[in-house]
Amino acid sequence: MELTEQMKTIVVIFGATGDLAKRKLFPSIYNLYTKGQLSDNFAVVGIGRRELSQADFQANVVKSLGSEDGNTEAFSQHFYYHPFDVTNRNSYIELKALLEQLDETYQTEGNRIFYLAMAPEFFGEIAQSIKREGLTNTKGYSRLIIEKPFGHNLASAQVLNEQISQAFTEDQIYRIDHYLGKEMVQNIEVIRFANAIFEPLWNNRYIANIQITSSEVLGVEDRGGYYEKSGALRDMVQNHMLQMVSLLAMEPPIKLTTNEIRSEKIKVLRAIRPVKESEVHDYFVRGQYSSGMINGTSVVGYREESNVSETSTTETFVAGKILIDNFRWANVPFYIRTGKRMTEKSTKIVVQFKDIPMNLYYNNSEQHLSPNLLVIHIQPMEGITLSLNAKRQGKNIGIAPIKLDYCNNCEDIINTPEAYEKLLYDCMRGDATNFTHWDEVALSWQFVDPISRVWEHEEVRNLPTYPSGTMGPEEANQLLAKDDFFWWSLFN
Amino acid sequence: MELTEQMKTIVVIFGATGDLAKRKLFPSIYNLYTKGQLSDNFAVVGIGRRELSQADFQANVVKSLGSEDGNTEAFSQHFYYHPFDVTNRNSYIELKALLEQLDETYQTEGNRIFYLAMAPEFFGEIAQSIKREGLTNTKGYSRLIIEKPFGHNLASAQVLNEQISQAFTEDQIYRIDHYLGKEMVQNIEVIRFANAIFEPLWNNRYIANIQITSSEVLGVEDRGGYYEKSGALRDMVQNHMLQMVSLLAMEPPIKLTTNEIRSEKIKVLRAIRPVKESEVHDYFVRGQYSSGMINGTSVVGYREESNVSETSTTETFVAGKILIDNFRWANVPFYIRTGKRMTEKSTKIVVQFKDIPMNLYYNNSEQHLSPNLLVIHIQPMEGITLSLNAKRQGKNIGIAPIKLDYCNNCEDIINTPEAYEKLLYDCMRGDATNFTHWDEVALSWQFVDPISRVWEHEEVRNLPTYPSGTMGPEEANQLLAKDDFFWWSLFN
């Protein structure tokens, strides 16, 4: 039996009436509670602008869990609502008193997690006020969890980081990238370093290219206002996509400690070849969805979405080619692709191995063997597929591709914990491995900034579009065709 | 669409009233017929000692097919029975007349296959008489198919080969090893040479050992008389097991032609380290089954079987360690294991890869990662399994083995052709790749002879026994334990 560490802490959620709290945080805390990873010595303080009674807040918490059982009532009793004005000093003073009282009641040993699940404008203000008013002066730990976006370019991220750093040290700051909490993203490291057969192949002698796709079926929904300022590059590439590149490309760390792993990931980001503004079109493609069909239903184009400008040039799709200039990866393109209103919801990594040095099976040069592929399925299916070649069944001649499959979540789907559940537990345990270090944030913005600068100043007529329900604009295919590659289909 | 070559030939089966003809040959010829691989220009002549009417023989053929359909009647019309005395010259003269008449009737272009599906005593006599009486004097091809056993040691095999060679050249002789007709045995070559990821790993830098097991649940049944003279070493190791070793170990041939592949296989057999008589106990273990339980039913020991001596020392089980002294395989043991009355019917190859150079996942030295395994399932299940390590599902820590599976015969089981069907078709096409060359036979006997010599002269009390329903005697486990390995279970 694995020994479960039982956590004692107060979690303060700024933005407790918001979507993230309801959809992810309350259920995650509940799961930790029912699994015994959270002791009875915990409390959650919900912070929001509006007035809300204790009873209503607790009812909201119960409602967010989907179904009630014998535990939900007792669980919700640990939740406290605290109406708040982030710019008003008194709010912090009152919060401090509440936290001290709860610390007493629940014996949480002075441990406090401040979770900023809200718009980023006030991150700096809140962090500094928390510090200034003494909310972190306890005998336990104080940690700050921050949701994306962390700035909208390198300069704004630096400003934000300076503000936060005045109140919290780097090792108190937990920058959430929820992709790092996903089961199969965490598995990348294990697949690479716990299996003898992959590491010898994991380099430019045997790998032709690596393709990372994160496609969504949904459009911007009611987040048009946010998305207009962000776009796919900032929303997905700067964080999630580059994080997956780092995990796939990093050298084996000397130990599996937070610092060693981060240090190797940072080395990858430092080795990525910068894309100069004059070269952006050689490496990156953007697109915006037009109207189309999704599952037999017609949907509107991005510019017709609410809170979106009729002349918007915001990209809802990005494809890019990333080169890592080090010994292991020289000349192996990492292709990334992400967008909204695509054919299917799917995040997958396809490692395409080089062709065999000599094809013994066909004299006819027009026939070719399929390359070996290692596919890591991140979501919604979780698993691993290895595509090999084998004898065509029952035939005297001929080779056909076969697939070796492993599914991680086909049975027992309920027991796969949500990313947020694991990340919250990691934060309570003080394990920052699956959070983003400031250096990673900075290097990612540094890489992405020239691309967004070019796109911002580009003429509208140069913005490729793609019909909703497709895998992006034709330009994304051309990006690989230039290198004699193509995107592997995600759907077979 | 694959172009199917339609064969025209007469197949003469010596031993047409026997078990092999009924169970394998008639159904295989029927399958070739219904698939259109055999044209209407074919005839089968059944040869046997006893008298049998044409009608009864054709009825036997139909019966052997299991079920009748619209084709069976027409099919059986191609079958002719010919009573025969192999030592009587007239039998051959009459057969010659019959073949000439059938050649005329069915327009088989003088093509003749002589299939010796009978006891080996008369192989030489028959081959020579066929030649002497002019049965091979046609404008088409003449080919000889021989069933095992091909001698019982090197000396007797040489005698037999000399006799046959006086009548047929080496490239007219098709020595059946029906394992070479099995779908997944034929796949070994494809797995190795059509996949870029295996060849770099396929050597002593990455492979720790290779285990080949062919286990049967049946005992000797009614073949006690034959088996007493043979034993598992001659019945299984000299042919099937060494053939699988060759296919697994051979260097990539420069072309996939019969001669190039055979040449590489022969090089492996030449590189196998000979086992001196004084060393037999270090490399080989034999065993004999005693009574036990098979699927809940008690069964008798080998010595209580009919036609078996009460003091028999015939081995019903062999385990061995084979070393191949070449650059690729130095220090990689190939462990083989085969026997009757074992736990389950199964033929499997397990390639065990070496451990990773450094285990990042456990500081505690008592915990270890499972090695990566590539399992090739030969029968009854056909497929490939790759055992890897992955994150324990839903846990923050811990690694667990996972399996990537491919099953070749789970769906569509009916369409996987039998080994005999493929081998007969190969012989009709003149493709000898999946038959055993004389050099392979000779080298295999050379390897096996010292072992059987030692066992023949050994005292009875040194013969290990194993209860029916188990995986062999304890000595077979010790064989691997000496090298710090163990047999991988075949049943999970």
Side-chain angles (χ1 to χ4, degrees):
Chain A
M1 240 343 255
E2 190 180 345
L3 191 69
T4 299
E5 252 183 296
Q6 287 207 317
M7 298 302 152
K8 302 176 179 184
T9 192
I10 300 174
V11 182
V12 185
I13 301 177
F14 290 80
T17 57
D19 199 45
L20 184 75
K22 206 163 56 195
R23 284 195 308 117
K24 301 290 183 186
L25 304 185
F26 300 156
S28 294
I29 296 169
Y30 182 65
N31 288 341
L32 293 175
Y33 176 73
T34 55
K35 289 178 186 170
Q37 295 180 301
L38 198 55
S39 70
D40 272 322
N41 305 86
F42 85 97
V44 178
V45 178
I47 304 277
R49 254 179 310 192
R50 57 178 162 120
E51 292 291 332
L52 194 65
S53 75
Q54 198 74 332
D56 285 348
F57 181 57
Q58 292 179 348
N60 286 351
V61 170
V62 171
K63 207 171 135 202
S64 77
L65 306 179
S67 64
E68 291 187 45
D69 60 38
N71 288 321
T72 44
E73 188 57 29
F75 173 73
S76 73
Q77 299 298 311
H78 291 256
F79 282 69
Y80 297 82
Y81 187 76
H82 187 66
F84 204 86
D85 174 357
V86 295
T87 58
N88 182 344
R89 208 186 143 187
N90 283 334
S91 287
Y92 295 92
I93 294 168
E94 287 161 24
L95 177 60
K96 182 168 191 257
L98 174 60
L99 294 182
E100 280 163 5
Q101 177 205 317
L102 292 175
D103 194 14
E104 190 71 32
T105 311
Y106 291 98
Q107 293 292 306
T108 51
E109 300 177 354
N111 295 329
R112 293 176 185 178
I113 293 174
F114 301 94
Y115 197 126
L116 307 191
M118 54 185 295
E121 298 92 280
F122 299 107
F123 283 0
E125 168 102 37
I126 294 171
Q128 289 177 327
S129 303
I130 285 172
K131 171 80 171 182
R132 191 188 319 114
E133 303 307 334
L135 277 69
T136 58
N137 288 342
T138 71
K139 65 182 175 70
Y141 64 70
S142 292
R143 292 174 187 149
L144 183 72
I145 301 184
I146 308 178
E147 277 289 332
K148 74 174 178 183
F150 199 92
H152 59 274
N153 58 19
L154 179 57
S156 59
Q158 276 168 331
V159 169
L160 175 56
N161 198 52
E162 272 160 34
Q163 292 172 344
I164 293 170
S165 300
Q166 287 166 25
F168 291 86
T169 60
E170 177 64 25
D171 62 358
Q172 290 180 305
I173 303 171
Y174 289 72
R175 293 176 197 83
I176 287 259
D177 184 322
H178 71 277
Y179 269 60
L180 296 182
K182 289 184 190 290
E183 195 74 6
M184 292 306 296
V185 172
Q186 296 187 351
N187 236 321
I188 294 171
E189 172 204 293
V190 183
I191 292 167
R192 291 189 54 198
F193 302 134
N195 292 295
I197 67 169
F198 289 127
E199 188 53 23
L201 304 169
W202 211 259
N203 56 59
N204 55 10
R205 278 191 301 284
Y206 301 107
I207 292 179
N209 71 74
I210 295 183
Q211 304 180 6
I212 311 173
T213 300
S214 187
S215 59
E216 285 178 58
V217 172
L218 292 179
V220 287
E221 310 296 302
D222 54 1
R223 295 169 69 237
Y226 158 76
Y227 205 80
E228 276 284 272
K229 282 181 271 175
S230 164
L233 187 71
R234 293 189 178 100
D235 190 46
M236 291 292 296
V237 175
Q238 182 270 336
N239 36 48
H240 314 314
M241 304 303 276
L242 286 177
Q243 282 292 328
M244 287 190 280
V245 170
S246 307
L247 289 168
L248 288 164
M250 70 176 176
E251 297 297 316
I254 59 173
K255 281 186 218 150
L256 291 180
T257 58
T258 303
N259 285 343
E260 296 296 346
I261 292 174
R262 282 178 163 180
S263 152
E264 294 302 339
K265 286 169 65 188
I266 288 165
K267 275 202 276 181
V268 172
L269 293 170
R270 285 171 48 217
I272 289 180
R273 184 184 301 178
V275 175
K276 292 189 207 124
E277 293 192 24
S278 60
E279 301 168 333
V280 164
H281 291 99
D282 299 329
Y283 290 92
F284 273 79
V285 166
R286 61 173 171 164
Q288 191 186 70
Y289 63 82
S290 54
S291 59
M293 298 293 283
I294 297 275
N295 297 328
T297 308
S298 60
V299 296
V300 301
Y302 178 69
R303 291 183 185 176
E304 293 122 301
E305 301 276 13
S306 58
N307 297 320
V308 169
S309 156
E310 280 172 34
T311 57
S312 172
T313 59
T314 301
E315 80 284 356
T316 62
F317 172 95
V318 173
K321 168 180 169 177
I322 293 173
L323 292 173
I324 300 171
D325 287 332
N326 64 18
F327 252 66
R328 186 185 285 264
W329 295 115
N331 298 320
V332 180
F334 284 65
Y335 299 113
I336 58 166
R337 175 171 65 153
T338 183
K340 292 188 181 291
R341 283 283 187 240
M342 291 171 70
T343 315
E344 209 168 283
K345 179 178 175 63
S346 169
T347 302
K348 273 185 197 165
I349 296 164
V350 180
V351 179
Q352 177 180 343
F353 292 94
K354 288 193 172 170
D355 290 331
I356 49 174
M358 177 183 174
N359 187 341
L360 287 162
Y361 289 91
Y362 297 108
N363 299 321
N364 183 338
S365 63
E366 283 181 41
Q367 288 184 291
H368 63 277
L369 289 175
S370 301
N372 292 161
L373 304 176
L374 175 71
V375 182
I376 303 174
H377 308 265
I378 308 288
Q379 65 178 16
M381 183 219 168
E382 300 176 1
I384 303 171
T385 301
L386 187 64
S387 293
L388 301 175
N389 293 302
K391 195 171 163 297
R392 273 178 63 202
Q393 196 186 348
K395 302 288 180 182
N396 288 64
I397 52 159
I399 309 291
I402 60 164
K403 285 181 183 178
L404 277 67
D405 282 318
Y406 164 70
C407 181
N408 192 57
N409 62 345
C410 289
E411 304 156 23
D412 210 18
I413 195 162
I414 288 152
N415 281 337
T416 301
E418 265 276 4
Y420 276 96
E421 179 187 332
K422 286 190 285 179
L423 293 173
L424 265 170
Y425 188 62
D426 280 353
C427 177
M428 291 175 188
R429 293 190 305 139
D431 182 348
T433 310
N434 294 316
F435 295 82
T436 319
H437 189 273
W438 163 245
D439 291 347
E440 297 175 85
V441 175
L443 286 162
S444 299
W445 279 124
Q446 202 168 58
F447 176 74
V448 154
D449 278 355
I451 304 164
S452 44
R453 271 200 302 274
V454 167
W455 287 349
E456 267 158 31
H457 297 102
E458 214 165 39
E459 286 189 55
V460 162
R461 61 182 167 82
N462 289 330
L463 174 68
T465 60
Y466 59 100
S468 289
T470 66
M471 288 306 285
E474 177 51 28
E475 284 83 347
N477 298 329
Q478 288 160 14
L479 183 72
L480 273 66
K482 281 188 295 186
D483 300 336
D484 279 332
F485 293 127
F486 56 84
W487 294 104
W488 291 95
S489 167
L490 306 182
F491 315 122
N492 55 27
Chain B
M1 244 339 258
E2 190 181 346
L3 192 68
T4 299
E5 249 182 297
Q6 287 207 318
M7 298 302 153
K8 303 176 178 183
T9 192
I10 301 174
V11 182
V12 184
I13 301 176
F14 290 79
T17 56
D19 199 45
L20 185 76
K22 208 164 55 195
R23 284 196 307 116
K24 300 292 184 185
L25 303 186
F26 300 156
S28 294
I29 296 169
Y30 182 65
N31 287 342
L32 294 175
Y33 177 73
T34 55
K35 288 178 187 171
Q37 295 180 300
L38 197 56
S39 69
D40 272 322
N41 305 86
F42 85 96
V44 178
V45 177
I47 303 276
R49 254 178 310 191
R50 59 178 161 123
E51 292 291 332
L52 194 67
S53 76
Q54 197 73 331
D56 284 349
F57 181 57
Q58 292 179 350
N60 287 350
V61 170
V62 170
K63 208 171 136 201
S64 78
L65 306 179
S67 64
E68 292 187 46
D69 60 36
N71 289 321
T72 46
E73 188 55 29
F75 174 71
S76 74
Q77 299 298 313
H78 291 256
F79 281 69
Y80 297 82
Y81 186 75
H82 188 64
F84 204 86
D85 174 356
V86 294
T87 60
N88 183 342
R89 206 186 146 188
N90 284 333
S91 286
Y92 295 92
I93 295 169
E94 287 160 25
L95 177 59
K96 181 168 191 257
L98 174 60
L99 295 182
E100 279 164 5
Q101 176 206 318
L102 292 174
D103 194 14
E104 190 71 31
T105 310
Y106 290 98
Q107 293 292 306
T108 51
E109 299 177 353
N111 296 328
R112 293 176 186 177
I113 292 174
F114 299 95
Y115 197 125
L116 307 191
M118 54 184 297
E121 299 92 279
F122 299 107
F123 281 3
E125 167 102 36
I126 295 171
Q128 289 177 327
S129 303
I130 285 172
K131 172 79 171 181
R132 192 187 319 114
E133 303 306 334
L135 278 69
T136 58
N137 287 341
T138 71
K139 65 182 175 70
Y141 63 71
S142 292
R143 291 173 188 150
L144 183 72
I145 301 185
I146 309 179
E147 276 290 330
K148 75 173 177 183
F150 199 90
H152 58 276
N153 58 19
L154 179 57
S156 60
Q158 276 167 333
V159 169
L160 176 55
N161 199 52
E162 271 159 36
Q163 292 172 343
I164 294 170
S165 299
Q166 286 166 25
F168 292 86
T169 60
E170 176 65 25
D171 63 357
Q172 291 180 303
I173 303 171
Y174 289 72
R175 293 176 197 83
I176 287 260
D177 184 322
H178 70 277
Y179 270 59
L180 296 182
K182 289 183 190 292
E183 195 74 5
M184 292 307 294
V185 172
Q186 297 188 351
N187 236 321
I188 293 171
E189 172 204 293
V190 183
I191 292 166
R192 291 189 54 198
F193 302 133
N195 292 295
I197 66 168
F198 288 127
E199 188 53 23
L201 304 169
W202 211 259
N203 56 57
N204 55 10
R205 280 192 299 285
Y206 300 109
I207 292 180
N209 70 74
I210 295 184
Q211 304 180 6
I212 311 173
T213 300
S214 187
S215 58
E216 285 178 59
V217 171
L218 292 180
V220 286
E221 309 297 303
D222 54 0
R223 294 171 69 236
Y226 158 76
Y227 205 78
E228 275 285 270
K229 281 181 269 174
S230 164
L233 187 70
R234 292 189 179 101
D235 191 47
M236 291 292 295
V237 176
Q238 182 270 336
N239 35 49
H240 313 316
M241 304 302 276
L242 286 177
Q243 283 291 328
M244 287 191 280
V245 170
S246 307
L247 288 168
L248 288 163
M250 70 176 177
E251 297 297 317
I254 59 172
K255 279 187 217 147
L256 291 181
T257 58
T258 303
N259 286 342
E260 296 296 347
I261 292 174
R262 281 177 163 180
S263 152
E264 295 303 339
K265 285 169 66 189
I266 288 165
K267 275 202 276 180
V268 172
L269 293 170
R270 285 171 50 216
I272 289 180
R273 184 184 300 178
V275 176
K276 293 190 209 125
E277 293 191 24
S278 60
E279 300 168 334
V280 165
H281 292 99
D282 299 330
Y283 289 92
F284 272 78
V285 166
R286 61 173 172 164
Q288 190 186 69
Y289 63 81
S290 54
S291 59
M293 298 293 281
I294 296 275
N295 296 328
T297 307
S298 60
V299 295
V300 300
Y302 178 68
R303 291 181 185 178
E304 291 123 303
E305 301 276 14
S306 58
N307 298 319
V308 169
S309 157
E310 280 172 33
T311 57
S312 171
T313 58
T314 301
E315 80 284 356
T316 62
F317 173 94
V318 173
K321 169 180 169 177
I322 293 172
L323 292 173
I324 300 171
D325 287 332
N326 63 19
F327 252 66
R328 187 186 284 265
W329 296 116
N331 299 318
V332 180
F334 284 66
Y335 299 112
I336 58 166
R337 177 171 62 154
T338 183
K340 293 189 180 292
R341 283 282 188 241
M342 292 171 70
T343 315
E344 209 168 283
K345 180 177 175 60
S346 169
T347 303
K348 272 186 198 164
I349 296 163
V350 180
V351 179
Q352 177 181 342
F353 292 95
K354 289 193 171 170
D355 290 331
I356 49 172
M358 177 183 174
N359 188 340
L360 287 161
Y361 290 91
Y362 298 109
N363 299 320
N364 182 339
S365 62
E366 284 180 43
Q367 289 184 289
H368 63 277
L369 290 175
S370 300
N372 292 162
L373 304 177
L374 175 70
V375 182
I376 303 174
H377 307 265
I378 309 287
Q379 65 179 16
M381 183 220 167
E382 301 176 2
I384 303 171
T385 302
L386 187 63
S387 292
L388 301 175
N389 293 302
K391 195 172 162 299
R392 273 177 63 202
Q393 196 185 349
K395 302 288 178 181
N396 288 64
I397 52 157
I399 309 291
I402 60 162
K403 285 181 182 179
L404 278 67
D405 282 317
Y406 164 70
C407 181
N408 192 55
N409 63 345
C410 289
E411 304 156 23
D412 211 17
I413 195 163
I414 287 151
N415 281 337
T416 302
E418 265 276 3
Y420 276 96
E421 179 187 333
K422 286 190 285 179
L423 292 173
L424 267 170
Y425 188 62
D426 280 352
C427 178
M428 293 174 188
R429 293 191 304 137
D431 182 348
T433 311
N434 294 315
F435 296 82
T436 319
H437 188 274
W438 162 246
D439 292 348
E440 296 175 84
V441 175
L443 286 162
S444 300
W445 280 123
Q446 203 168 57
F447 176 73
V448 154
D449 278 354
I451 304 164
S452 43
R453 273 201 300 273
V454 167
W455 286 350
E456 268 159 31
H457 297 103
E458 213 166 37
E459 286 188 57
V460 161
R461 60 181 167 81
N462 290 330
L463 174 68
T465 59
Y466 59 99
S468 289
T470 67
M471 287 307 283
E474 177 51 27
E475 284 83 348
N477 298 330
Q478 287 161 14
L479 184 73
L480 273 67
K482 283 188 294 186
D483 301 336
D484 280 334
F485 294 127
F486 56 84
W487 294 105
W488 290 96
S489 167
L490 306 182
F491 315 123
N492 55 26

